[in-house]
Amino acid sequence: MIRIGNASGFYGDRAAAWREMLEDGPLDVLTGDYLAELTMLILARDRLKDPSLGYARTFLRQMEECLGLAADRGVRIVTNAGGLNPAGLAAALQSLAARLGLSTTIGYVEGDALDQQSPGALAANAYLGAFGIASCLTAGADVVVTGRVTDASLVVGPAIAHFGWSRDDLDALAGATVAGHVLECGAQATGGNFSFFTELPDGGRRPGFPIAEVNADGSSVITKHPGTGGAVTVETVTAQLLYEIAAPAYPGPDVVTHLDTVRLAQEGQDRVRVTGTRGTPPPPTLKVGVAGIDGHRNAMTFVLTGLDLDAKAALVRAQLEGAVGKEGLTFTQLGTDDGALLQVAIHDPDPKRAGRAFSAAAVELALASYPGCTLTTPPADATPSPLFTTASIPQPAHWAIHPDGTRAEIPPPTHTSPLIRDFVDGHAVGHAHQLPDQLRGRVARVGARSGDKGLDANVGVWVRSDEDYAALVSWLSAERLALLLPEVADYLVERYEMPNLWALNFVIRGVLGRRDWLDPQGKALGERLRARIREAP
């Protein structure tokens, strides 16, 4: 088997994780994922200021102390920290290695950038697969840098290189994709953001980072270094499997992974075996992420206390609309133990109106509004409002640049199959307005994790037994989800059943296009759903 670890789930993750993973136990490969959708916009703005940038600079700083350590431990590094400029990061790493007196060999992958095909976008990138990474590793690279690849490709690529898989090894590729999907968000697989965090040995205070021991058939064991925090259980792995997915037929550039075939088994402390994954040919197209700017935004927060909270909020609304106009303003009132917070947000094409014109108007109310008026935010300039959209293109060739400078073409797959999206609406049956007896009194057993897929949100829900799953399937329909979460009621809700995981996955199409949410990436939807299930009759 090949032992692959993860040390980063996003741009800004725990800075010490690279050193911790290298020092705390044996690894063959250590990966790091930096490219959330918002990150592409951040890197694009960096590149506008300095064309030599466009990559995750924190990774370069982390390698100051870890590049030599990785060489000493015989650990190869694979990361998408190259962002919009993988060649630039590879060159910067080569300079760093030379300064440190290391003979590190570096390869990189390019061909994802489609900026010239997307007028007006700050960045447009195709989600490439894993065979370019494998090509660099096979050519002897100690470090492989990529731009936009699918997150799971950081794990699949090393497995391809290690086992010599071809594009026809679909089940193996799918199994490695599952391992990559579990690892890609770092500590989320070891107890981070976990519904039952109070049950973890350390209460979830400092979860370690995950490791996948991948076998030649694509099966794996998910684990972590001994002595690190958190836990690896069937449920922590289930939670991550349900994160940011849509249909169980999970499309990628190299394989469609059928998540409803995955089987999980606890085989020891902090060891979960993943087997049974089936793969089918990939679609003929690739997803393209397009990052741009959709106007400008700003927000101010008022503290409401005492009596007449709604009247106080109405006064602020009238005063601000009178000062800057109604267009683009949204008001969100949140209750607290002794009052409420009123967040006022603005979205406008004009950075001046959304900037100081708005925030100064809010501050000017300090002595001229409701009794007890106070704000938690100072006046500030507007910030660009990110816009991330997706498209698709026919699968293109891309390139692996080997450590010796050889430019190897990675052709697209020759055997593809159109992707069919088939969802179950799941209307409620039986006692439509009653929580089933099997779940009554046991709603604490319902776990959830939610996230974003472009402008869509997903909510994965799981339970802890066959009996509870039967009750969940019969009760929690797409229709009932919209009743429990009225904020999504105006959007198409799809439901997918995943009995192997005792789980349902819901996809809410287009809901993250709303500008009036305090949860713009849908991260809190799952926990809101759990709370409302608890309150259901």
Side-chain angles (χ1 to χ4, degrees), residues 324-348:
V324 300
K326 295 182 179 181
E327 187 67 28
L329 288 181
T330 58
F331 297 81
T332 305
Q333 187 170 327
L334 300 174
T336 67
D337 289 342
D338 60 352
L341 297 177
L342 177 67
Q343 185 191 69
V344 188
I346 188 170
H347 183 275
D348 197 87

Side-chain angles (χ1 to χ4, degrees), residues 7-10 12-18 20 34 62 187 205-209 228:
S8 176
F10 69 100
D13 209 345
R14 188 188 307 169
W18 283 92
E20 292 171 5
Y34 288 78
Q62 288 165 315
R205 285 187 291 275
R206 188 178 173 85
F209 277 67
T228 57

Side-chain angles (χ1 to χ4, degrees), residues 296-299 346-359 380-383:
H296 296 78
R297 63 185 182 182
N298 204 346
I346 188 170
H347 183 275
D348 197 87
D350 182 0
K352 293 182 179 178
R353 177 174 180 263
R356 295 284 172 156
F358 163 74
S359 59
D381 294 327
T383 58

